[in-house]
Amino acid sequence: MLLIWIYLFSIFHLCTFVDSVVQCEQKNVTVQVPDLLLPSITTTESLATWFYWKQGTQLNTNTIVHLTIHGYTYDHTYWAFPYQSPKYSYVDYVIENSNGSIVVVNIDRIGIGLSSKPDAIDVTVDSNANVISQLTTYIHNGAYKDIQFTNIILVSHSLGTLIAWTVASQTSYNQYIRGIIATGWLHVPNPVGTAAVVASIYPAQLDPVTSQQSVPPLYVTTNPANNTRQNIFYNINDADPNVIQLDEQTKHTGTVGELATLGLAILPTVTLSIPSNIPVLVVMGQYDIIFCAPLALSCDTSLIIKLRESSSYLSTIDTFVLLNSGHDINLHLNAQYWYEKALNWTLQHF
């Protein structure tokens, strides 16, 4: 119960009580979500965003933007986890250690958290990508601090990475994308881990946490039976039990529309359509059971990840493995090692 109150306090005061060095403004932006069957028909929805910058920094058009995209059954707090910051907060780490050269735009994806919740069948991988593309246009056109930012990097996790791939691969979406930091997703999954994820999904209305979130029909989440999130998303030998508990207490939802459109989004033809001038950093947890297994599907080293993934990109990709970590790399004890890699990679390329 204490952990849930910590979370609620952090949500209501997120932009007031973050680290004094890290400044934040919450802003809802208006987006159009296309109808699945008739894409020319759209509904007007609200996307919740948080803009973070370092106190005292003089921002300009060349300041780098990390646009963070969370995964399935998570919200924006995956990137700013409300526990022992900055140990588990990518946002705080990057802002505090980038000497003012990076700002972060964090979001609740459409259908999640404080954002609008359209019909589940209309919340797909592509409609998510469409919304992210609209947001990059807003960022470029001065929606935050009246600055027309030109260096936008998509920083994504899990389903968020599929969305980032889709954005970067389509000329109608990728106009303002300069790079991708793609975590928690590879082209070839581990069938055992994938089956475990599928088996864990059940209606959000049946869940003690997400039933309180007023979600429409066909929104789903992970079943808490048998410690599902712990077993799928974590290597418990590299995780704090309090983090795992708070994760369960603060989980969110996904949609059947997203599940139904994963198959096409994972194809190498998508990433092979990403222009070669968009650099990519691929980051995985060593023991991510959704994509990794001994021998044939090993994730033990960065070189192995590069060998597994290079043929699916036009550009030469960089890779990094967070040793001992499970799927949720932000929520493991050694998360800051990959935060450091993301920061250094960004500063080297931009």
Side-chain angles (χ1 to χ4, degrees):
M1 181 60 70
L2 175 60
L3 289 176
I4 192 72
W5 279 110
I6 291 172
Y7 171 77
L8 291 173
F9 184 82
S10 70
I11 290 299
F12 289 124
H13 298 278
L14 186 59
C15 288
T16 305
F17 290 92
V18 292
D19 188 295
S20 60
V21 172
V22 181
Q23 301 297 296
C24 173
E25 288 181 357
Q26 198 278 324
K27 181 174 187 173
N28 293 338
V29 299
T30 300
V31 295
Q32 302 299 315
V33 176
D35 182 274
L36 175 65
L37 300 178
L38 296 171
S40 60
I41 298 176
T42 62
T43 59
T44 300
E45 309 289 356
S46 177
L47 186 74
T49 75
W50 290 259
F51 179 77
Y52 300 85
W53 73 98
K54 188 172 185 177
Q55 184 180 34
T57 299
Q58 187 67 41
L59 305 178
N60 59 69
T61 58
N62 292 321
T63 301
I64 300 163
V65 178
H66 277 191
L67 171 50
T68 50
I69 311 171
H70 61 80
Y72 205 68
T73 73
Y74 284 88
D75 71 346
H76 72 280
T77 57
Y78 177 77
W79 299 101
F81 201 68
Y83 182 73
Q84 294 186 0
S85 177
K87 185 173 184 177
Y88 298 105
S89 174
Y90 178 91
V91 169
D92 284 357
Y93 182 92
V94 168
I95 297 296
E96 290 177 6
N97 292 281
S98 62
N99 197 30
S101 61
I102 299 175
V103 298
V104 177
V105 176
N106 197 8
I107 66 169
D108 280 346
R109 288 191 294 101
I110 200 69
I112 300 295
L114 299 181
S115 293
S116 298
K117 297 176 177 61
D119 290 344
I121 62 169
D122 292 329
V123 182
T124 64
V125 172
D126 190 72
S127 66
N128 269 282
N130 188 308
V131 167
I132 295 297
S133 174
Q134 293 175 59
L135 180 58
T136 64
T137 300
Y138 291 147
I139 293 170
H140 181 269
N141 289 346
Y144 299 94
K145 298 296 183 182
D146 294 320
I147 297 172
Q148 296 180 338
F149 294 105
T150 57
N151 292 314
I152 301 174
I153 300 174
L154 302 180
V155 184
S156 57
H157 181 66
S158 197
L159 175 66
T161 289
L162 282 187
I163 295 165
W165 286 355
T166 304
V167 174
S169 67
Q170 298 189 26
T171 55
S172 58
Y173 290 167
N174 67 12
Q175 182 178 1
Y176 302 117
I177 305 305
R178 298 294 177 262
I180 305 172
I181 299 175
T183 79
W185 202 282
L186 300 175
H187 286 86
V188 179
N190 172 12
V192 175
T194 302
V197 173
V198 172
S200 75
I201 298 300
Y202 80 140
Q205 290 77 11
L206 301 180
D207 189 86
V209 173
T210 57
S211 61
Q212 308 303 311
Q213 296 173 10
S214 300
V215 295
L218 301 182
Y219 276 63
V220 298
T221 193
T222 53
N223 191 325
N226 302 316
N227 298 315
T228 295
R229 292 176 86 83
Q230 171 181 297
N231 295 335
I232 295 175
F233 297 148
Y234 292 88
N235 172 18
I236 60 173
N237 295 320
D238 186 36
D240 183 337
N242 289 323
V243 169
I244 298 173
Q245 180 185 355
L246 185 55
D247 180 6
E248 176 62 39
Q249 293 173 340
T250 59
K251 68 184 178 184
H252 281 262
T253 59
T255 71
V256 295
E258 290 165 334
L259 290 176
T261 52
L262 291 178
L264 292 177
I266 197 175
L267 295 176
T269 50
V270 175
T271 45
L272 285 169
S273 297
I274 298 174
S276 59
N277 63 344
I278 296 180
V280 179
L281 170 64
V282 178
V283 182
M284 292 298 297
Q286 182 182 9
Y287 298 127
D288 181 339
I289 68 165
I290 303 174
F291 294 94
C292 310
L295 302 177
L297 294 177
S298 171
C299 295
D300 283 350
T301 69
S302 296
L303 177 59
I304 290 173
I305 299 300
K306 181 167 287 192
L307 291 173
R308 286 181 60 174
E309 289 292 293
S310 288
S311 63
S312 297
Y313 292 89
L314 294 178
S315 62
T316 300
I317 63 172
D318 295 301
T319 57
F320 181 79
V321 170
L322 185 62
L323 296 179
N324 298 315
S325 176
H327 181 68
D328 282 352
I329 57 174
N330 283 15
L331 304 182
H332 283 73
L333 293 171
N334 55 342
Q336 290 199 4
Y337 288 117
W338 104 258
Y339 298 167
E340 181 182 21
K341 176 63 179 182
L343 175 60
N344 291 338
W345 181 88
T346 299
L347 298 179
Q348 288 166 6
H349 282 81
F350 298 93

